[in-house]
């Protein structure tokens, strides 16, 4: 295809740049809000899984089994199916099933279990001798969490968070198919359904740029907090 053919295929004058800007903001907003909640929920679930995995007692084992079961279930359900299954829950929680706000519950419930498993694995990579040393000096479980687990695993937690944030970008694009807003919705409605290939192309490029920025910032943060890189 020559340059003239490309220009006729992609007509950038057909792009509503105001709508594209709004859709970009919606995608960034959905990803940012979801990721903040995912970090909190994921670290909490990861801590529960880690702390209860080797503890004796039926109570600890029951908690570990229940949390592990829920994490495995919600991590296994494809996002496009999960968001449909959660429509009644979303309606009751946020009062609507369309728009960026309506996508938040599904995004969090889908990504938090994924991140929780990475958090649990990161904690298991920490030298058990360091944890035992803190306990032998009278440190409490909270001391272990705040002085050992979180600081020592911070580079891995940030790296895992970066991967999760990029996954959330793809989830927001899929959520656009059922009216959540964002670049995915714009590419589907104004691009695919309207047979406007230019809108789809521009939306895809912007999503790619957002992913590259997230990866770049994540890599910088990992290098900044990684003691081995100093």
């Amino acid at each position: 295809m020559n340059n003239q053919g490309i220009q006729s295929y992609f007509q950038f004058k057909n792009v509503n740049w105001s709508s594209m800007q709004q859709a970009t903001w919606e995608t960034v907003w959905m990803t940012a809000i979801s990721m903040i909640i995912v970090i909190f929920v994921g670290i909490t679930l990861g801590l529960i899984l880690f702390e209860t995995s080797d503890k004796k007692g039926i109570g600890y084992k029951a908690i570990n089994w229940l949390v592990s079961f829920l994490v495995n279930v919600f991590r296994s359900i494809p996002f496009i199916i999960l968001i449909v299954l959660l429509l009644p829950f979303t309606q009751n929680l946020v009062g609507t099933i369309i728009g960026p706000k309506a996508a938040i519950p599904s995004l969090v419930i889908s990504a938090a279990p994924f991140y929780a498993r990475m958090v649990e694995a990161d904690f298991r990579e920490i030298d058990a001798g360091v944890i035992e040393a803190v306990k032998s000096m009278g440190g409490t479980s909270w001391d272990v969490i705040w002085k050992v687990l979180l600081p020592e695993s911070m580079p891995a937690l940030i790296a895992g968070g970066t991967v999760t944030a990029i996954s959330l970008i793809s989830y927001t694009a899929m959520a656009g198919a059922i009216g959540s807003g964002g670049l995915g919705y714009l590419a589907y409605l104004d691009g695919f359904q309207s047979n406007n290939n230019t809108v789809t192309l521009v939306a895809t490029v912007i999503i790619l740029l957002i992913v590259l920025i997230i990866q770049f910032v994540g890599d910088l943060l990992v290098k900044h907090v990684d003691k081995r890189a100093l």
Side-chain angles (χ1 to χ4, degrees):
M1 184 180 292
N2 55 32
N3 291 336
Q4 185 176 2
I6 294 175
Q7 291 175 0
S8 63
Y9 189 74
F10 295 114
Q11 296 291 331
F12 289 96
K13 64 182 180 181
N14 294 334
V15 178
N16 186 327
W17 294 104
S18 177
S19 298
M20 190 67 68
Q21 183 180 6
Q22 177 65 25
T24 301
W25 163 247
E26 290 174 349
T27 294
V28 172
W29 183 85
M30 282 189 288
T31 304
I33 298 299
S34 299
M35 194 60 210
I36 291 172
I37 302 174
V38 164
I39 289 173
F40 176 78
V41 175
I43 291 178
T44 301
L45 293 176
L47 276 171
I48 293 173
L49 290 170
F50 176 77
E51 290 291 338
T52 59
S53 60
D54 298 325
K55 294 286 182 67
K56 296 181 180 179
I58 190 170
Y60 288 116
K61 292 184 181 298
I63 292 173
N64 183 269
W65 181 88
L66 177 61
V67 175
S68 181
F69 175 77
L70 292 175
V71 165
N72 289 337
V73 167
F74 286 107
R75 191 176 60 151
S76 303
I77 301 175
F79 179 74
I80 196 64
I81 297 176
L82 179 65
I83 197 172
V84 174
L85 290 175
L86 291 176
L87 286 178
F89 171 75
T90 301
Q91 175 69 48
N92 292 328
L93 183 65
V94 301
T96 181
I97 59 173
I98 60 173
K101 185 171 64 173
I104 300 298
S106 299
L107 291 171
V108 172
I109 292 175
S110 180
F114 174 74
Y115 186 55
R117 282 301 185 189
M118 288 194 287
V119 171
E120 181 191 13
D122 294 338
F123 289 159
R124 292 187 181 280
E125 293 296 321
I126 298 174
D127 187 355
V130 178
I131 297 176
E132 291 301 322
V134 173
K135 290 182 177 179
S136 66
M137 291 186 292
T140 64
S141 296
W142 286 110
D143 291 326
V144 172
I145 292 172
W146 291 107
K147 296 180 180 180
V148 180
L149 294 180
L150 292 177
E152 292 295 324
S153 63
M154 190 57 65
L157 293 177
I158 294 174
T162 302
V163 174
T164 305
I166 291 173
S167 296
L168 279 173
I169 293 290
S170 66
Y171 291 163
T172 63
M174 285 187 283
I178 62 170
S180 69
L183 291 166
Y185 177 71
L186 189 69
Y188 178 75
L189 186 67
D190 292 356
F192 175 73
Q193 287 196 337
S194 301
N195 197 29
N196 190 342
N197 299 296
T198 309
V199 170
T200 304
L201 172 66
V202 173
T204 302
V205 170
I206 294 175
I207 290 175
L208 176 61
L209 290 175
I210 294 174
V211 168
L212 292 176
I213 291 171
I214 291 174
Q215 187 66 62
F216 177 74
V217 173
D219 290 343
L220 282 182
L221 289 175
V222 169
K223 290 181 181 179
H224 179 71
V225 301
D226 193 350
K227 300 175 183 178
R228 295 169 298 181
L230 300 178

